[in-house]
Amino acid sequence: MPLPGMAGSPLKIPLRRRMARAAVAIIHRDRPGDAGQQELLFMQRAQRAGDPWSGDMSFPGGLMHVDDPTPRAAAERETFEETGLDLTRYGSFEQRLSDRLTRQHHRWRPMVITPYVYAWHGNDDVVLNHEVQSLVWIPLAHLAAPEQQSVMHWRSPLGRVRLPCCRYQGHCIWGLSYSMLREYLKKGGYQPGDTDRRV
């Protein structure tokens, strides 16, 4: 069942079925020992040569394979492969968020990424693969707080640009992940600095 307040139709990019597809899982849970306080799961990508997002914070997920029946199934498979978290057994699917248009990692071809929201009911046991350096559960109160929103400088082919981000204990959430995070918070009706009260 979708979270209260998570209404509205997500954006679906036209002709997305003709492009490369990827999917991610936005996973939330009650903070252990603090029922009602929600937190979101992020992973820090491993440092890998040639990976343009090496070391970045992201949601688990990846490319859709030919044997994945749906992008949502791809998000579940990739999450299990990267983290060991089995969304088919211990996750409750809640909602699809808006498509994002980006490029494929190693070539300048369009790719559509679709986020899927899950509530996690399992334990903390994880098995990280070579693509993941660490997993971090971040309180929604922190992610929504105005004072935690920041700006990072990113070097582009056109020069340095300032991009919005959210910082947490040395981690920086930016780019597509930050865009997905803001949509999740908005659709959930979370008040900045008070993520347990919905408008």
Side-chain angles (χ1 to χ4, degrees):
M1 176 178 294
L3 288 172
M6 296 190 76
S9 298
L11 172 68
K12 295 183 179 181
I13 293 177
L15 304 178
R16 62 190 181 280
R17 290 182 175 86
R18 298 184 182 180
M19 292 182 263
R21 302 289 300 276
V24 301
I26 298 178
I27 305 169
H28 69 89
R29 70 174 184 183
D30 285 334
R31 196 171 186 181
D34 196 359
Q37 295 286 338
Q38 290 281 296
E39 53 189 8
L40 282 189
L41 179 68
F42 289 84
M43 70 178 201
Q44 182 175 14
R45 298 173 63 89
Q47 299 285 344
R48 297 195 299 169
D51 183 352
W53 293 279
S54 179
D56 282 357
M57 299 296 286
S58 67
F59 296 110
L63 285 172
M64 183 177 178
H65 293 176
V66 292
D67 53 348
D68 289 323
T70 63
R72 177 177 152 191
E76 295 170 351
R77 175 187 53 74
E78 285 279 345
T79 296
F80 183 72
E81 291 176 358
E82 292 175 337
T83 70
L85 300 181
D86 190 346
L87 292 173
T88 64
R89 295 184 62 188
Y90 303 111
S92 298
F93 171 70
E94 293 181 337
Q95 185 168 344
R96 170 195 183 280
L97 298 186
S98 296
D99 290 336
R100 264 69 182 181
L101 183 64
T102 184
R103 70 171 179 89
Q104 298 181 44
H105 287 193
H106 301 292
R107 51 185 176 177
W108 289 94
R109 291 188 179 180
M111 179 173 67
V112 174
I113 303 179
T114 306
Y116 296 90
V117 178
Y118 293 83
W120 178 249
H121 308 294
N123 56 35
D124 290 334
D125 294 340
V126 296
V127 180
L128 305 183
N129 74 0
H130 65 281
E131 299 178 70
V132 185
Q133 180 172 319
S134 63
L135 297 182
V136 184
W137 288 96
I138 304 180
L140 280 180
H142 180 100
L143 294 166
E147 64 271 19
Q148 304 304 335
Q149 312 313 304
S150 184
V151 172
M152 63 167 287
H153 293 89
W154 183 68
R155 187 180 300 277
S156 76
L158 300 178
R160 292 170 64 88
V161 295
R162 289 163 53 91
L163 298 174
C165 67
C166 179
R167 300 184 183 275
Y168 177 76
Q169 296 183 355
H171 300 294
C172 181
I173 302 163
W174 68 287
L176 290 175
S177 296
Y178 185 75
S179 172
M180 295 172 190
L181 168 64
R182 300 313 298 175
E183 182 184 10
Y184 174 83
L185 293 172
K186 181 178 180 181
K187 283 184 174 290
Y190 296 106
Q191 295 273 24
D194 183 5
T195 57
D196 302 306
R197 187 175 70 238
R198 296 186 173 90
V199 295

